[in-house]
Amino acid sequence: MTICMPALDASVLARRDRIIAALQRIVPDGVLTDPVTLRAYECDAFTAYRQLPMIVVLPETTAQVAAILRYCDEAVVKVVPRGAGTSLSGGALPLGDAVLLGMAKFNRILSVDYESGTAVVQPGVTNLAVTRAVEGKGFYYAPDPSSQIACSIGGNVAENSGGVHCLKYGLTTNNVLGVELVLMSGEVVRLGGNELEPRGLDLLGVVVGSEGLLGVVTEVTVRILRTPEVVRALLIGFPSVEQGGQCVADVIAAGIVPAGMEMMDQPAIHAAEAFVHAGYPLDVKALLIVEVDGPQAECDHLIAEIESIAAKNSAACVYISNSETERLKFWAGRKAAFPAVGDLTPDYLCMDGTIPRRCLPRVLRRIGELSAKYGLRVVNVFHAGDGNLHPLILYDASQPGELDRAEEFGSDILRLCVEVGGVLTGEHGVGIEKRDLMPVMFNEIDLAHQQRVKCAFDPSLLLNPGKVFPQLHRCAELGRVHVHGGKVPHPELPRF
Ligand SMILES: Cc1cc2nc3c(=O)[nH]c(=O)nc-3n(C[C@H](O)[C@H](O)[C@H](O)COP(=O)(O)OP(=O)(O)OC[C@H]3O[C@@H](n4cnc5c(N)ncnc54)[C@H](O)[C@@H]3O)c2cc1C
């Protein structure tokens, strides 16, 4: 296979060569420049947009990361941090004139303190590897994105990732106690620590969810929890999505906080069943998986209460897991829902918006109408307990205009989320995907203040540019009252 780099003029090539030489001095064995090798980094899981990076560098130590960032700051070179590349919002999309800083070699668990319930890990460690490392001692790491087998803790911190257990145990931000962060200047700072109360200003809270725009995370202290005595799941089928949605609202209104509460609509149930044969009922319109955990007596009580609430909402069937194998089988379909949908269609866009739970039936009805309007199928999977929707829009990129229609359909869904009192994103971040929709949720003053935070960490705007902010203003301009003028143009988005 021949892969061509875009034609670069002599001055650009000479600059690239100088950057390569400088990076090789810092990381002698970790600089990738061959176009075939670079191809592996051309996109993240938001595959509609692709761009070969100028150079990939793979450091192994904090000192190397600091030296790379210091050099890039001084030489005015853009840097895009990357974990495992599973972002669904294009957060790790490379730029043709930027260094892609891959954190894959930061893959060690540094220490575990079972007494205080904390672990110190490098950012390239996968989410699931943290649980695997501590489960033998009866502990686990609670945030569990469906991508947990692949995604990195550094990416989780940058995206403030969630998962099915975040309803009860919180998102990444509630489970990270401290980070080591390298700033674009090359300075290394420690935010938070291994105690529950932050020291000084809660800058850790600013950094979690900052999408690689403020600094590069080189070490993370996470909270680990004791594995509950009992974990059981209920699989509940409903004749309509409305009844399933009402059951979710009634469970929460009863004061129950399940460990997880996930819903799938009928197309998602069928796709998941065909993919993993989890034993899902195919004749129901909505399927709810509710997990409870804790002491035996508490779980027995909660299961009985949830069964009774489900019956009041005309549940068509209720299955309760009687073994760990059965519980995992209930989850297998939900966890594999995204790849299962990949079997139905050449391409799909995974949306991520959050709405007040009570609006679920109305929003799903409207998504159905939009599906008819745009002539594109949609499959709905959602973290029902916290109102986080993941409509998957099915399209075929090889058909002229379908990607445009899919993107417009997705934008309408996200606008709808904001319209009903929700927000643009639940857990996948803004990236490039929702960047231009930010003004739907924030006014110019809100956005200017958010960018002032960016400027405090990265005044040259070199770290992950083109992501999150619909427009970037030069930091000097932001010091004034007005933010008009002085805009830094974004690079053109390289749609595939
Ligand atoms: C099939 C599938 C299922 C998914 N399910 C979920 C889910 O249930 N919940 C959920 O929240 N997400 C989910 N995701 C999205 C994705 O897995 C998460 O956003 C994840 O946290 C990204 O981690 P990553 O290591 O792949 O990061 P990347 O994709 O490499 O990067 C994501 C962002 O983090 C930044 N970044 C990465 N590492 C660092 C670092 N060390 N320092 C600073 N910035 C950094 C990047 O610049 C980028 O902005 C899913 C994705 C897929 C493909």
Side-chain angles (χ1 to χ4, degrees):
M1 181 170 55
T2 311
I3 296 177
C4 302
M5 294 286 283
L8 300 173
D9 69 34
S11 67
V12 174
L13 280 173
R15 181 167 191 259
R16 180 171 176 267
D17 288 344
R18 279 197 302 277
I19 298 168
I20 291 170
L23 294 177
Q24 278 169 341
R25 280 194 292 279
I26 301 168
V27 193
D29 301 325
V31 181
L32 312 179
T33 57
D34 167 44
V36 176
T37 315
L38 296 184
R39 178 61 49 128
Y41 297 90
E42 68 177 356
C43 67
D44 52 25
F46 188 45
T47 54
Y49 292 82
R50 294 171 192 219
Q51 167 70 59
L52 280 192
M54 174 172 66
I55 301 162
V56 173
V57 60
L58 302 170
E60 284 182 65
T61 65
T62 299
Q64 287 175 338
V65 173
I68 292 166
L69 293 189
R70 195 177 309 114
Y71 163 76
C72 288
D73 202 31
E74 283 164 14
V76 194
V77 179
K78 297 171 193 164
V79 177
V80 176
R82 179 182 170 107
T86 67
S87 166
L88 285 164
S89 58
L93 179 76
L95 299 172
D97 59 350
V99 169
L100 190 80
L101 182 70
M103 296 300 286
K105 290 187 175 175
F106 280 74
N107 58 3
R108 285 183 304 126
I109 293 181
L110 299 174
S111 64
V112 181
D113 181 345
Y114 293 104
E115 209 168 298
S116 68
T118 57
V120 181
V121 307
Q122 291 190 314
V125 168
T126 64
N127 173 292
L128 190 58
V130 180
T131 291
R132 290 284 178 261
V134 299
E135 64 190 356
K137 300 263 189 191
F139 283 80
Y140 75 112
Y141 178 58
D144 53 347
S146 304
S147 52
Q148 66 182 152
I149 194 167
C151 66
S152 74
I153 291 291
N156 291 177
V157 169
E159 300 287 14
N160 189 19
S161 295
V164 299
H165 289 114
C166 292
L167 175 61
K168 183 168 177 180
Y169 296 104
L171 295 156
T172 300
T173 191
N174 307 105
N175 291 276
V176 166
L177 300 172
V179 294
E180 179 184 78
L181 185 79
V182 185
L183 304 181
M184 201 58 212
S185 58
E187 291 163 297
V188 181
V189 293
R190 285 195 165 267
L191 305 175
N194 63 357
E195 58 280 280
L196 296 180
E197 186 65 22
R199 306 173 204 174
L201 286 180
D202 183 12
L203 292 180
L204 178 62
V206 174
V207 166
V208 178
S210 60
E211 303 198 27
L213 268 73
L214 303 185
V216 175
V217 175
T218 45
E219 189 189 288
V220 187
T221 303
V222 297
R223 183 204 308 264
I224 51 169
L225 302 178
R226 279 210 170 273
T227 313
E229 181 186 319
V230 172
V231 188
R232 292 179 76 189
L234 296 92
L235 192 66
I236 312 171
F238 291 93
S240 72
V241 169
E242 281 80 0
Q243 283 153 318
Q246 192 56 50
C247 182
V248 171
D250 291 351
V251 168
I252 300 284
I256 301 170
V257 184
M261 189 149 56
E262 299 285 304
M263 202 153 107
M264 291 187 273
D265 70 0
Q266 198 174 36
I269 300 165
H270 282 238
E273 181 57 22
F275 197 67
V276 293
H277 311 295
Y280 289 170
L282 296 176
D283 53 348
V284 296
K285 288 281 183 335
L287 196 61
L288 196 60
I289 308 177
V290 189
E291 185 160 287
V292 295
D293 64 6
Q296 180 77 52
E298 184 185 335
C299 287
D300 291 346
H301 169 72
L302 292 178
I303 288 172
E305 270 210 60
I306 294 166
E307 263 191 295
S308 140
I309 294 170
K312 282 188 200 129
N313 283 289
S314 314
C317 54
V318 180
Y319 305 97
I320 302 165
S321 68
N322 284 312
S323 66
E324 187 59 4
T325 313
E326 216 171 354
R327 183 183 76 85
L328 293 176
K329 205 170 166 201
F330 287 1
W331 280 117
R334 167 61 188 91
K335 292 256 177 184
F338 292 4
V341 168
D343 261 10
L344 301 181
T345 174
D347 305 285
Y348 68 82
L349 286 182
C350 172
M351 309 314 296
D352 165 47
T354 303
I355 57 166
R357 274 185 303 263
R358 65 187 148 71
C359 300
L360 197 58
R362 174 178 153 201
V363 167
L364 289 179
R365 245 192 327 275
R366 183 75 190 122
I367 290 177
E369 289 162 10
L370 289 169
S371 166
K373 173 182 162 191
Y374 285 103
L376 295 172
R377 287 182 295 161
V378 65
V379 170
N380 286 294
V381 179
F382 24 91
H383 304 303
D386 41 24
N388 182 200
L389 310 182
H390 291 318
L392 305 173
I393 300 171
L394 280 47
Y395 72 98
D396 180 352
S398 69
Q399 297 304 311
E402 276 211 10
L403 175 54
D404 288 332
R405 288 214 311 281
E407 288 194 313
E408 278 171 43
F409 182 2
S411 296
D412 280 358
I413 292 175
L414 295 175
R415 282 199 183 87
L416 175 64
C417 290
V418 177
E419 192 184 302
V420 300
V423 292
L424 279 181
T425 176
E427 53 184 17
H428 295 173
V430 175
I432 54 161
E433 182 214 2
K434 306 180 191 94
R435 182 189 80 185
D436 297 333
L437 287 172
M438 288 285 274
V440 174
M441 201 162 68
F442 298 108
N443 65 29
E444 203 172 326
I445 298 169
D446 296 332
L447 288 170
H449 274 287
Q450 290 179 32
Q451 205 203 304
R452 285 188 177 100
V453 175
K454 162 82 172 157
C455 289
F457 283 79
D458 171 26
S460 307
L461 305 176
L462 290 171
L463 205 49
N464 217 1
K467 318 286 167 67
V468 180
F469 291 104
Q471 284 171 345
L472 272 179
H473 299 276
R474 293 187 201 290
C475 291
E477 288 288 324
L478 279 174
R480 303 177 193 165
V481 178
H482 296 294
V483 290
H484 304 289
K487 288 170 193 158
V488 181
H490 280 318
E492 209 166 296
L493 288 179
R495 208 168 75 166
F496 190 55

